Amino acid sequence: VQLVESGGGLVQTGESLMISCAASGFTFGMSVMTWVRQAPGKGLEWVSSVGIAGRETYYAHSVRGRFTISRDNTKNTMYLQMHSLKPEDTALYYCTRSVLGLKFDYWGQGTQVTVSS
């Protein structure tokens, strides 16, 4: 099983960024997928989840209206489009597979997103 995130970087407040997660080794198209982030010195925070077909999406209050989660099951890839980024969005963003709600069994290595003020 592999989850490989990419696309992170350093941006300024208000800018946009899209991160991706390429999956392999399991049935991606039958898996609910989730982005989880961890800010420096803080715990893990659930960000967003997407259902199997991509029609059902869920967002944390802190990112709703600014972030859009999506997936392409033909490419085994999940995306997170982030707009109007804020310094408090600075974190290591992990791609995970959801099992039973807010439990996750597969994790990527993370991609760093840094938003400067």
Side-chain angles (χ1 to χ4, degrees), residues 46-111:
W46 170 76
V47 175
S48 181
S49 297
V50 59
I52 291 171
R55 289 189 291 270
E56 294 179 337
T57 58
Y58 308 90
Y59 299 94
H61 178 73
S62 59
V63 307
R64 190 174 298 126
R66 300 188 298 120
F67 290 10
T68 301
I69 192 170
S70 62
R71 64 192 297 163
D72 185 340
N73 288 345
T74 67
K75 297 180 179 179
N76 284 0
T77 301
M78 176 176 66
Y79 307 95
L80 187 68
Q81 177 68 58
M82 302 179 287
H83 295 297
S84 302
L85 282 162
K86 306 175 182 180
E88 51 263 45
D89 294 317
T90 294
L92 189 60
Y93 283 72
Y94 295 100
C95 168
T96 69
R97 186 177 80 156
S98 299
V99 290
L100 298 175
L102 289 180
K103 294 184 179 179
F104 315 107
D105 58 353
Y106 302 147
W107 293 73
Q109 82 289 348
T111 187

Side-chain angles (χ1 to χ4, degrees), residues 37-43 87-92 112-114:
R37 69 185 181 185
Q38 186 168 29
K42 296 189 176 181
E88 51 263 45
D89 294 317
T90 294
L92 189 60
Q112 179 67 41
V113 174
T114 303

